Amino acid sequence: MTTRRDFLKEVGGGLVVVLVASRVPALATLGAEPSLHAGEADDTDRISAWLHIDERGAVTVYTGKVEFGQGIRTSLTQHVAEELRAPVESIRLVMGDTELTPFDMGTFGSRSTPQMGLQLRRVGASARELLIGLAAERWKVERSRLVAENGRIVDTQTKRALGFGELTAGRRLTETITADVAPKPATAWTIAGSSLPKVGARDIVTGKHQYTSDMRLPGMLYGRVLRAPQMGATLANVDTSAASAVKSAVVVHDGTFVGVAAPSSAEAKRALEAIRPTWTPPSEPQPSSTSVHEHLKRSSSRASGRQAGGEGGGGAQPFVHGNVDAALASADHKLARTYTVAYIAHVPLEPRAALAQWTRGAEGDRLTVWTGTQRPFAVRDELVRALGLVPERVRVIVPDTGSGYGGKHTGEVAVEAARLARGAGKPVKLVWSREEEFRWAYFRPAGVIDVGAAVSEDGAITAWTFDNYNSGPAAIRPSYAIANQRVAFHPSDSPLRQGSYRGLAATANNFAREMHVDELARLVSMDPLAFRVKNIEDARLRAVLEAAAEKFGWGKKPERGNGVGIACGFEKGGYIAACAEVAADRASGAVKIVRVVAAFDCGAVVNPAGLRSQISGGIVQGIGGALFEAVDFENGVVRNARLAQYRVPRFLDVPEIAVILINRKDQPSMGAGETPIIAIAPAVGAAIYDATGIRVRSLPMARNGLGASTT
Amino acid sequence: MLIELDVNGRRQRVDVDPDRTLLSVLREELELTGSKYGCGEGECGACTVLLGARAVRSCQTPVAKAAAAPVTTIEGLEREGRLHPLQQAFVDEGAMQCGYCTAGMIMAGVSLLKSTPSPTTDQIVRGMNGNVCRCGAYPQIVAAIERVASEGKKP
Ligand code: FES
Ligand code: FES
């Protein structure tokens, strides 16, 4: 065995590190999960696939979901603690490990809370009942006098107790998960429903938590990948001789893939820069950001409906109800408008990263990749396909990751790291640069949305047409009661690689819808809140709207010529309403959001503090897309591929935010990572209009001030 | 070139190209990975460390320059197993989601509190504006800094 010190000398290529105390390599424990559990994960109707209790009572929970900052490591722990009646500290979650955790589609679509939460509650309840049964057998008493509490089964008559670990003695709990025991209703929760601090917070504030980009294996090299000068360019030929001459760098050339690996990132960079490629540009010029909306609309008829990157989302059926044309023909008032949204980038603060390690076993090569992806099993399959492997020999492990927002569904960085590691014969870590993130990740789709509506003199919406080109079908149907509707999503030919994003197209669709509704209200001289309430059927949607309006002081005139706006939306089981006050100056075009009040209902609240943070975080992120975020591109080249050029929300952009939680303990808990983002843009858009009389129908609304956006 | 650094109170020598960034030397040579790479262009603050009492972007600091003053990274804030008050405040206020910005935020906040022990909200917002939290935990981060300021604990 090489010691830490020898290893540094070895890989450092002459590097001398003095006084670094020999310490356990940070990774010694990673990948060394109890192999006991490997192979369990397939039997998903058994408790053992999901939960293990060791002889000392430590509980390990296995879930294919991953933690990206949305807080499910904490909320799922609360659910297990609640059902199992085990202390929170005794529970540890193993997440997103294709060898240890049951198969999972991925962490997106706000499904972790409603689906995984419920699943783990059932698992916890089943395990608890099993433990009670074991104790009853052991003591030869009636089950009914036994209760589970605080990691033990207690006999209520004799007060004797046995710890969970003593009862199971570490054996696998192969019993079937039962549907007979109903999980506790939210009204009886004591651990779930409370603001348990984030699990793992201490490791984050001390810098100990190892994100993928922080990991290190003995002998590991740092990778870099050769990129084309423009999208669609192909490699004609490449001269790697100078790069190979860079001390200790390895050049990996594998088909069209060219990359390097070296003992430090600086050497890897130098080696990459020494590569001399020749590129063939794509044969046809590509649309630019200035002409993209016409392009998307024009190309929609010939698009295949395929959406590269992410989970797709094309191909929704048009929705038709009543007779739109007749309703439009006989309408009191009609209004048709076009709205557009730009491509935006996720900008996860931790760029894509992967660490790949090949090991040789008796049955052949095995590949382990640590990577921050929202879809570990899909990335495993991507590795299998790209590298010609079998799934049993590929393991993907997802450490808690530096965010994703829908931007890390794919495995390109994992495949690249695996290629480099295979070529170099050593583990390789590859971390994309910020610039690579901007250029080569996928984007939230741009789109064009045509909206038409008819409204009666007394303020009832009587007809609604809605055509979305390219941005996607999420939350495309109105949450208003409208008798005559025609709603359609038209996939287009996207010039940029596009995919999932927090809230998907719900942001674009809700922007177009709510801006249109605001304009309709003014058309019939109604207050936008009263107009909505009149047209909403769903009591929960009305409740969030009224709660936000009340706290905001809707109806009071804002100060100093500020404008106010209101909007609401429903998506993925969550109801959101937001009121915004904006200071906007018509002459200078400057826009500042002064305050926001948001009300949110996603059923029974599992962790109020975590939920508030998700809501305010969604609003902050939504402000970026609402006001200034947009990807500029021209002929296959992203023009603003630096953080200095692509503006994201900062401290100074953040308004005073008040969040109202509507805790519906009688309703199932739904996800909250996405829906809170969808109401902010139209609320701000309406407020801009209120302040200035300018209707901005494009996102972002005030990138270079208001004037520039409206031209 | 052999460069001597004082990092978190320990003197260490590294033999590296003097142009290398302090961030890459901390992370790759000294295994102090608490400081993060977020942009490499001085725009996000994820790499913030203290050079003396001043917060610097370690991705923009050539390692040779860091020999001039003691370097403090997030790993150097804890004292005998006790968190620095601002680290504790980040936990208590839930001032993180993914946590990737957190080290840089805390280091920037520590520096702010050193120079301005009782900052107004406006001073916090302006002082911290160079640090990006893409998860949007800004309100909770401001609250954490305010909590330390109001507790009057010595930062
Ligand atoms: S990594 Fe240094 S400022 Fe972003
Ligand atoms: S907590 Fe994710 S970037 Fe700040």
Side-chain angles (χ1 to χ4, degrees):
Chain A
M1 271 229 14
T2 43
T3 65
R4 167 88 207 115
R5 196 181 290 252
D6 293 340
F7 149 61
L8 263 182
K9 274 191 199 135
E10 211 171 277
V11 302
L15 163 82
V16 184
V17 178
V18 198
L19 293 175
V20 176
S22 166
R23 57 173 222 202
V24 185
L27 281 193
T29 53
L30 286 162
E33 291 295 347
S35 55
L36 163 78
H37 195 76
E40 290 286 314
D42 294 338
D43 248 345
T44 53
D45 54 348
R46 296 178 192 277
I47 297 171
S48 53
W50 304 91
L51 187 142
H52 178 74
I53 301 174
D54 79 5
E55 57 282 2
R56 287 189 315 225
V59 180
T60 309
V61 176
Y62 301 88
T63 168
K65 296 292 176 202
V66 293
E67 174 63 49
F68 270 57
Q70 75 283 41
I72 57 171
R73 180 179 290 283
T74 308
S75 59
L76 294 175
T77 299
Q78 288 175 273
H79 276 319
V80 174
E82 185 76 60
E83 290 303 330
L84 194 59
R85 322 280 199 262
V88 161
E89 312 75 54
S90 69
I91 299 169
R92 187 178 70 98
L93 261 64
V94 170
M95 304 179 79
D97 181 329
T98 60
E99 197 158 296
L100 299 181
T101 63
F103 171 82
D104 190 83
M105 286 276 289
T107 306
F108 56 83
S110 291
R111 287 186 264 206
S112 301
T113 296
Q115 293 177 5
M116 188 57 65
L118 187 58
Q119 173 67 16
L120 293 183
R121 288 166 72 196
R122 290 206 179 109
V123 169
S126 299
R128 179 195 68 226
E129 292 305 309
L130 172 67
L131 289 160
I132 291 175
L134 290 175
E137 257 171 56
R138 177 91 60 103
W139 288 326
K140 311 237 174 320
V141 297
E142 286 295 311
R143 293 177 59 102
S144 55
R145 55 189 260 196
L146 305 184
V147 294
E149 59 178 47
N150 206 25
R152 304 176 317 160
I153 302 297
V154 180
D155 184 334
T156 50
Q157 289 186 12
T158 63
K159 303 292 172 214
R160 63 187 158 171
L162 274 171
F164 290 174
E166 295 170 88
L167 280 163
T168 64
R171 84 159 167 87
R172 293 158 53 210
L173 307 177
T174 50
E175 286 79 356
T176 307
I177 299 162
T178 129
D180 303 346
V181 267
K184 261 193 199 177
T187 44
W189 285 348
T190 57
I191 303 167
S194 70
S195 291
L196 182 72
K198 182 181 173 70
V199 172
R202 195 183 167 102
D203 279 355
I204 286 176
V205 299
T206 52
K208 285 194 188 79
H209 172 64
Q210 298 256 295
Y211 297 88
T212 300
S213 49
D214 298 330
M215 295 173 66
R216 180 197 281 260
L217 285 173
M220 181 187 88
L221 303 179
Y222 294 81
R224 285 302 285 260
V225 174
L226 183 71
R227 303 287 174 200
Q230 97 188 90
M231 298 169 203
T234 50
L235 189 63
N237 60 62
V238 61
D239 173 4
T240 60
S241 53
S244 309
V246 172
K247 185 190 67 173
S248 55
V250 185
V251 177
V252 179
H253 187 170
D254 182 352
T256 56
F257 174 85
V258 181
V260 298
S264 73
S265 57
E267 284 159 282
K269 184 161 178 271
R270 225 178 303 133
L272 187 79
E273 283 163 359
I275 291 177
R276 300 275 163 265
T278 314
W279 298 95
T280 311
S283 49
E284 279 178 49
Q286 299 166 38
S288 69
S289 33
T290 49
S291 64
V292 70
H293 293 122
E294 297 88 89
H295 169 84
L296 290 175
K297 211 162 163 182
R298 208 172 43 233
S299 67
S300 71
S301 51
R302 58 184 163 88
S304 58
R306 155 191 62 86
Q307 295 203 351
E311 62 184 299
Q317 292 298 314
F319 171 79
V320 180
H321 190 252
N323 188 336
V324 175
D325 297 323
L328 281 170
S330 63
D332 292 345
H333 302 273
K334 279 187 285 190
L335 183 74
R337 298 289 188 221
T338 295
Y339 302 84
T340 63
V341 303
Y343 289 101
I344 63 176
H346 305 81
V347 202
L349 205 56
E350 181 188 27
R352 282 168 170 63
L355 167 59
Q357 179 185 39
W358 294 83
T359 44
R360 184 139 294 166
E363 4 56 278
D365 289 347
R366 284 183 60 86
L367 171 65
T368 305
V369 180
W370 290 263
T371 187
T373 176
Q374 294 170 250
R375 305 173 76 209
F377 288 88
V379 167
R380 180 192 62 184
D381 296 345
E382 219 174 309
L383 288 160
V384 164
R385 276 194 306 274
L387 299 159
L389 302 163
V390 291
E392 298 69 42
R393 304 250 171 81
V394 181
R395 178 177 182 185
V396 171
I397 304 171
V398 181
D400 290 9
T401 294
S403 80
Y405 323 111
K408 290 179 178 168
H409 284 195
T410 48
E412 51 285 88
V413 70
V415 173
E416 289 167 355
R419 281 191 205 287
L420 287 170
R422 185 165 66 180
K426 288 185 178 170
V428 171
K429 179 165 78 177
L430 177 64
V431 182
W432 279 20
S433 68
R434 177 55 55 199
E435 189 180 334
E436 288 177 293
E437 266 293 326
F438 274 120
R439 292 192 194 287
W440 302 106
Y442 55 87
F443 302 99
R444 182 195 76 178
V448 179
I449 302 171
D450 291 331
V451 189
V455 58
S456 65
E457 192 55 50
D458 67 345
I461 307 173
T462 55
W464 185 260
T465 66
F466 197 93
D467 292 275
N468 176 316
Y469 299 87
N470 191 61
S471 68
I476 198 168
R477 279 169 55 185
S479 12
Y480 299 96
I482 306 171
N484 306 291
Q485 300 183 25
R486 189 174 59 232
V487 176
F489 166 59
H490 312 271
S492 296
D493 164 26
S494 170
L496 297 188
R497 197 173 161 226
Q498 60 184 18
S500 186
Y501 184 95
R502 193 175 199 175
L504 293 166
T507 297
N509 287 328
N510 209 51
F511 172 68
R513 178 166 48 240
E514 289 293 284
M515 289 295 278
H516 207 73
V517 164
D518 193 70
E519 208 163 338
L520 290 176
R522 306 216 181 222
L523 199 61
V524 292
S525 307
M526 276 181 76
D527 172 79
L529 170 64
F531 182 77
R532 283 180 170 83
V533 169
K534 181 178 172 78
N535 286 283
I536 287 172
E537 248 171 11
D538 192 322
R540 289 174 76 184
L541 187 58
R542 201 180 312 128
V544 288
L545 204 48
E546 285 170 344
E550 193 197 324
K551 170 119 190 175
F552 184 78
W554 185 260
K556 283 194 217 111
K557 217 176 146 40
E559 295 174 30
R560 295 184 298 266
N562 287 354
V564 293
I566 188 166
C568 61
F570 167 69
E571 169 68 348
K572 300 202 171 86
Y575 298 82
I576 179 80
C579 298
E581 179 176 339
V582 162
D585 183 39
R586 212 190 148 96
S588 71
V591 174
K592 163 102 187 123
I593 307 173
V594 180
R595 66 188 180 106
V596 171
V597 174
F600 189 55
D601 166 5
C602 59
V605 176
V606 183
N607 185 314
L611 178 57
R612 281 176 192 283
S613 179
Q614 282 302 307
I615 297 167
S616 58
I619 288 168
V620 169
Q621 192 159 40
I623 285 172
L627 290 185
F628 39 73
E629 286 185 42
V631 174
D632 294 327
F633 60 97
E634 201 182 325
N635 207 17
V637 179
V638 174
R639 290 290 176 205
N640 53 343
R642 294 163 60 88
L643 207 51
Q645 298 161 326
Y646 184 99
R647 182 173 166 201
V648 297
R650 290 176 179 271
F651 280 92
L652 278 167
D653 298 310
V654 178
E656 182 190 322
I657 301 174
V659 170
I660 304 160
L661 301 183
I662 311 242
N663 191 356
R664 289 293 301 263
K665 292 193 179 196
D666 58 324
Q667 296 285 341
S669 306
M670 305 303 281
E674 302 191 87
T675 301
I677 203 174
I678 72 173
I680 185 69
V684 167
I688 289 173
Y689 175 78
D690 189 47
T692 63
I694 299 173
R695 274 277 170 213
V696 193
R697 300 191 184 87
S698 298
L699 294 183
M701 291 184 279
R703 193 169 178 204
N704 303 301
L706 284 173
S709 313
T710 47
T711 52
Chain B
M1 187 175 139
L2 207 58
I3 294 171
E4 192 168 309
L5 297 172
D6 172 341
V7 182
N8 299 331
R10 290 200 311 189
R11 292 185 21 170
Q12 342 211 340
R13 274 184 295 162
V14 287
D15 186 9
V16 292
D17 179 345
D19 292 342
R20 284 224 3 221
T21 63
L22 174 60
L23 179 65
S24 80
V25 172
L26 289 172
R27 291 178 53 82
E28 295 174 24
E29 313 303 340
L30 302 180
E31 276 195 61
L32 294 171
T33 52
S35 311
K36 305 299 183 206
Y37 168 90
C39 68
E41 42 172 306
E43 287 289 326
C44 76
C47 64
T48 305
V49 301
L50 300 186
L51 201 54
R54 210 163 51 90
V56 297
R57 302 276 182 264
S58 65
C59 75
Q60 300 295 301
T61 309
V63 63
K65 262 200 160 162
V71 177
T72 310
T73 71
I74 190 74
E75 291 92 343
L77 287 186
E78 226 176 325
R79 289 276 169 273
E80 279 132 31
R82 288 196 45 172
L83 296 181
H84 181 283
L86 190 56
Q87 289 175 309
Q88 187 62 51
F90 266 64
V91 175
D92 296 341
E93 292 289 341
M96 76 207 76
Q97 290 183 19
C98 76
Y100 196 79
C101 69
T102 306
M105 288 288 177
I106 291 177
M107 298 317 290
V110 166
S111 162
L112 177 83
L113 287 166
K114 273 189 206 265
S115 60
T116 318
S118 309
T120 61
T121 306
D122 192 57
Q123 282 173 319
I124 294 172
V125 163
R126 284 177 196 286
M128 297 293 292
N129 202 50
N131 284 61
V132 169
C133 174
R134 186 56 166 160
C135 297
Y138 298 116
Q140 294 82 4
I141 294 168
V142 172
I145 296 173
E146 282 177 337
R147 176 189 280 242
V148 173
S150 72
E151 280 168 359
K153 284 190 186 153
K154 201 168 161 287

